[in-house]
Amino acid sequence: MKLRRALSASAATAALLPVAMAAAPASQAAPAADIPTCYDLDTAYGQYHNNTFVGRSFGIPKSITLGTHWTTYTATLTNASAKELKTFELSAKLGSYVYNEGERDLSPYGDLQYWDTSQRAWKTLRDAGGNARGTIPGPKTLKPRESVHVQLRFRVSKDLPLDQAYDAFTGLTGTFVDRYRDMDCTAHGDAGGGFSPRKG
């Protein structure tokens, strides 16, 4: 998984102030949803490389106990490029990778929330399919070396069947419109981590 990267410019980042969460509606559609991803436009040689973001997360343990206890963590995305991102959108997810037929995704058994700084309350993320994921209100632009910080928390129900191994993860994603092969396309960066669920 490419969810976790080290932040090298620690001195520069330490001077960055947290970006306040804007009051944009969480139901807002994804930016330029009708255009392809930059990875779709890429060749078989993997020539498109997204070095825009540096992502960090703090507080995601290697394993969690199933039940009602919340695990809280902080995710940070920093614009490490020289360009201002003007079509920036935040989202978060909780789930697991499905490698084989018959395996299940952990997401419907989990709860994921973000801290809404404007309303000072936890808000639940859940999509129409019942999965623990969704869009988070945030800034619509991100200048070079500017960071966005989001506090999240998650839990996984005791109802999760442990008849299979779960390669589970949670994290924050930043999406923006880039330019590649003379076309507009969407790219993203992540900040999060993986964990294993276990019975209490």
Side-chain angles (χ1 to χ4, degrees):
M1 292 189 309
K2 297 181 180 177
L3 288 174
R4 194 174 295 176
R5 299 179 186 172
L7 183 62
S8 58
S10 57
T13 306
L16 293 172
L17 295 175
V19 177
M21 293 294 101
S27 60
Q28 194 171 29
D34 55 340
I35 67 174
T37 71
C38 299
Y39 312 98
D40 291 337
L41 297 178
D42 204 355
T43 66
Y45 301 103
Q47 294 177 351
Y48 178 77
H49 296 289
N50 172 21
N51 298 318
T52 303
F53 291 113
V54 172
R56 294 188 303 171
S57 63
F58 303 95
I60 302 174
K62 293 184 182 293
S63 65
I64 66 159
T65 302
L66 300 181
T68 58
H69 175 71
W70 290 98
T71 297
T72 302
Y73 70 98
T74 301
T76 299
L77 286 170
T78 300
N79 180 3
S81 73
K83 59 190 174 186
E84 181 178 5
L85 309 180
K86 297 182 179 179
T87 51
F88 184 65
E89 184 177 81
L90 288 171
S91 62
K93 57 190 172 184
L94 168 69
S96 61
Y97 295 102
V98 176
Y99 300 107
N100 302 303
E101 186 176 354
E103 291 182 351
R104 70 181 62 83
D105 183 4
L106 170 145
S107 193
Y109 296 89
D111 295 308
L112 179 63
Q113 296 184 335
Y114 71 93
W115 178 252
D116 188 319
T117 57
S118 62
Q119 299 186 20
R120 302 190 62 78
W122 288 103
K123 299 294 183 67
T124 298
L125 296 173
R126 182 80 58 187
D127 68 11
N131 295 308
R133 64 190 63 184
T135 303
I136 298 176
K140 297 306 174 187
T141 62
L142 202 64
K143 295 179 180 179
R145 300 179 69 181
E146 192 172 33
S147 294
V148 61
H149 312 272
V150 179
Q151 190 173 28
L152 298 135
R153 67 180 187 178
F154 69 98
R155 62 186 178 186
V156 180
S157 169
K158 290 182 178 179
D159 295 334
L160 176 73
L162 292 180
D163 55 350
Q164 69 174 58
Y166 292 91
D167 187 2
F169 63 88
T170 182
L172 179 72
T173 298
T175 305
F176 67 102
V177 175
D178 204 354
R179 190 78 177 169
Y180 182 65
R181 293 184 177 272
D182 296 323
M183 292 184 64
D184 287 337
C185 55
T186 58
H188 66 272
D190 299 295
F195 64 91
S196 298
R198 67 176 188 273
K199 290 287 187 183

